[in-house]
Amino acid sequence: MVSESPVLIALGGNALILQGERGYIEEQFKHTDACMKPIAGLISQGLHPVITHGNGPIVGNILLRNECARDYIPPMPLYICVADSQGGIGAMMAESLNNELKKAGIHKTVSVIITHVLVDKNDAAFIEPTKPIGPYYSENDAQMYMKKGWHMLEIKGRGWRRVVPSPKPERIVEIDAIKTALEKGIIPIASGGGGIPVIEENGMLKGVDAVIDKDLSASLLACNLSLKKFVILTDVDGVYLNWGTEARQKINKLGIKEARRYLLEGHFLPGSMGPKIEAAIGFLESGGEEVIISRPEDLLDAIEGRAGTGIMRSWNK
Ligand code: ADP
Ligand code: MG
């Protein structure tokens, strides 16, 4: 039997379009169904989830579609593409979860909440953008976009790529709507893709072209909702030491101090496992009790400590 206090489940964008796939809607639904089935299983055991998700490969496709149609339809700014991805992914997840709940005979409302996340306009990330997004461009196109103010990075042998700032999430604008949904027994799907990035200017919100790391936003969401448990579902069966080498070794249980030490030693790569561990440490230091990192198909076992990696506050190492 699982605990009855709500749990945040963050699903990686890379679990929705797998590497090497083109992202056909049937493929995306297949993966979404595979993720929602174990979540419905947890709900049938009495657990109430809040769901968030990444959007990496999906927003990449939206940007490419923008690019291909740029002579016919005005391209949309990146933050609107993030909003589009929240709507599209959220609609798929809600359809899939509604059906899995129906099969299990459970009556619950699932609601997608389009979510803005406030970032600091003076965040250092705006001075030096580092996050590559979207398609590869030719040198000519890269020059044209640089004149428009985009930051472009040449990746030897592959072409040019747009790089955008990845500022720290500071405040979830719709947090009260998410809290209210939870209190009413609704399952919220919120803050997708790290949230739509906005800054405040003269007290007004303004969308900015940036990508907020979804693991850091998820951690902020779990803290704001005072949750005790935070589950990160990704495409690897747990956290490893010596990742990428023959000597790699899966960690079953990890303490905060160890996590911080291994992070400094470079075991968790920046941009993938690194932000998940940072998100976990932030959540546990702000009152969270446990973070679980696992594959979606292992969710039911992972929540009972039989799969994935558990990072615990009480595990004082
Ligand atoms: P997501 O879309 O779920 O955020 P990411 O690709 O960002 O997925 O993060 C998961 C990836 O992290 C894994 O596929 C793996 O390649 C990579 N990774 C980096 N360091 C580690 C590590 N120490 N242990 C396990 N996976 C790692
Ligand atoms: Mg990621």
Side-chain angles (χ1 to χ4, degrees):
M1 185 65 188
V2 291
S3 83
E4 291 197 4
S5 87
V7 172
L8 180 70
I9 301 182
L11 196 63
N14 291 316
L16 300 177
I17 299 185
L18 305 191
Q19 262 186 15
E21 280 183 353
R22 301 208 55 205
Y24 289 106
I25 189 68
E26 294 81 6
E27 289 170 341
Q28 292 192 49
F29 260 115
K30 192 174 114 200
H31 303 312
T32 308
D33 289 346
C35 294
M36 292 304 136
K37 205 179 171 67
I39 294 179
L42 283 185
I43 297 167
S44 71
Q45 292 179 37
L47 178 141
H48 195 96
V50 180
I51 301 174
T52 188
H53 59 84
N55 69 352
I58 290 107
V59 83
N61 285 355
I62 295 174
L63 287 163
L64 185 55
R65 224 173 277 137
N66 239 355
E67 202 47 39
C68 294
R70 72 181 175 196
D71 296 333
Y72 304 97
I73 307 164
M76 289 295 114
L78 173 61
Y79 69 92
I80 297 295
C81 296
V82 172
D84 289 346
S85 78
Q86 285 189 353
I89 299 170
M92 265 192 294
M93 286 184 160
E95 183 179 324
S96 178
L97 186 55
N98 273 313
N99 289 337
E100 292 299 334
L101 290 175
K102 197 161 186 184
K103 285 186 216 160
I106 298 166
H107 302 281
K108 279 206 184 279
T109 301
V110 180
S111 180
V112 181
I113 300 175
I114 297 296
T115 313
H116 298 83
V117 171
L118 189 73
V119 298
D120 182 353
K121 67 176 177 185
N122 297 316
D123 192 303
F126 285 108
I127 298 164
E128 201 182 334
T130 52
K131 171 108 185 144
I133 54 153
Y136 286 86
Y137 295 90
S138 68
E139 173 140 19
N140 271 352
D141 282 348
Q143 295 294 346
M144 180 216 19
Y145 282 124
M146 281 192 278
K147 280 188 198 129
K148 284 191 186 177
W150 284 16
H151 291 263
M152 306 292 295
L153 179 76
E154 188 180 11
I155 297 160
K156 286 268 174 276
R158 298 225 39 194
W160 291 73
R161 244 179 133 195
R162 182 176 180 192
V163 277
V164 296
S166 189
K168 255 192 31 241
E170 302 247 299
R171 182 165 70 80
I172 296 167
V173 176
E174 288 81 3
I175 192 68
D176 286 344
I178 302 169
K179 269 187 193 157
T180 306
L182 203 52
E183 284 159 13
K184 299 263 180 213
I186 293 169
I187 299 169
I189 299 178
S191 197
I196 304 162
V198 287
I199 54 169
E200 227 163 27
E201 253 180 17
N202 305 320
M204 299 288 122
L205 296 182
K206 187 169 176 249
V208 278
D209 282 351
V211 167
I212 307 172
D213 183 88
K214 79 111 190 356
D215 296 309
L216 298 183
S217 284
S219 175
L220 180 64
L221 179 59
C223 292
N224 283 183
L225 295 173
S226 309
L227 305 183
K228 297 291 168 215
K229 210 177 257 192
F230 169 23
V231 180
I232 302 178
L233 298 179
T234 183
D235 60 357
V236 60
D237 65 347
V239 181
Y240 283 74
L241 290 181
N242 303 309
W243 178 253
T245 73
E246 297 253 307
R248 74 183 200 164
Q249 195 189 345
K250 184 166 166 266
I251 309 169
N252 294 325
K253 221 169 153 195
L254 189 62
I256 302 184
K257 282 186 216 153
E258 283 176 318
R260 196 177 286 111
R261 177 159 56 85
Y262 294 144
L263 186 65
L264 282 175
E265 287 172 6
H267 289 277
F268 315 131
L269 301 189
S272 57
M273 191 52 73
K276 294 185 202 319
I277 302 293
E278 276 175 52
I281 294 171
F283 170 69
L284 296 172
E285 285 181 341
S286 310
E289 282 170 10
E290 186 181 3
V291 176
I292 295 165
I293 301 180
S294 106
R295 289 186 302 202
E297 58 266 44
D298 298 334
L299 174 62
L300 294 165
D301 281 337
I303 214 119
E304 295 191 343
R306 294 192 300 269
T309 298
I311 312 173
M312 259 154 282
R313 187 158 54 122
S314 60
W315 184 247
N316 194 21
K317 277 177 83 184

